[in-house]
């Protein structure tokens, strides 16, 4: 995402339209699982503060190690070993900047 990962989320929200998108910010997710009833899939999400909700779609924007640490994620990916392997092998490179000021 050349414009940052937030551009991906903004794209999906724009596609959903303001009326159709229910957005929740500031929730620390502890578990995510797929609910299949009557052929239609829903996502059941539990937050650390005890709240629970069902959604048509869920976008996770945290780093991969945190995503893989969520309860239920590895179960969701067990039928997709190639995707799980790609996620487990994701690497990050750190960038640091240092600014120094010396008085004249």
């Amino acid at each position: 995402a050349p414009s940052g990962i937030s551009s991906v989320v903004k794209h999906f929200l724009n596609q959903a339209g303001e009326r159709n998108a229910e957005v929740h910010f500031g929730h620390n997710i502890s578990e995510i699982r797929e609910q299949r009833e009557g052929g239609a899939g829903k996502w059941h999400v539990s937050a650390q503060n005890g709240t629970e909700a069902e959604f048509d779609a869920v976008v996770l924007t945290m780093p991969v190690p945190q995503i893989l640490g969520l309860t239920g994620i590895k179960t969701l990916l067990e039928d997709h070993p190639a995707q799980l392997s790609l996620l487990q092998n994701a690497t990050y490179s750190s960038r640091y900047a240092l600014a120094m000021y010396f008085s004249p």
Side-chain angles (χ1 to χ4, degrees):
S3 300
I5 194 65
S6 66
S7 65
V8 175
V9 176
K10 289 175 186 174
H11 169 77
F12 285 120
L13 290 175
N14 287 336
Q15 292 297 312
E18 291 181 24
R19 297 183 301 272
N20 299 323
E22 182 179 342
V23 180
H24 296 256
F25 294 102
H27 287 72
N28 292 321
I29 302 302
S30 59
E31 180 180 13
I32 182 169
R33 64 183 185 276
E34 189 176 19
Q35 300 283 101
R36 290 215 170 255
E37 295 178 14
K42 295 277 186 180
W43 296 98
H44 183 86
V45 178
S46 301
Q48 289 177 352
N49 66 4
T51 60
E52 297 183 1
E54 284 189 355
F55 300 95
D56 294 322
V58 176
V59 178
L60 302 173
T61 61
M62 64 271 234
V64 172
Q66 289 177 326
I67 292 173
L68 293 176
L70 292 173
T71 302
I73 288 294
K74 289 188 180 172
T75 302
L76 290 171
L77 292 171
E78 65 187 13
D79 292 335
H80 307 282
Q83 284 80 7
L84 178 58
S85 177
L86 287 170
L87 289 171
Q88 289 172 326
N89 292 313
T91 59
Y92 294 86
S93 65
S94 299
R95 300 289 187 257
Y96 299 96
L98 174 65
M100 299 178 76
Y101 173 78
F102 298 96
S103 99

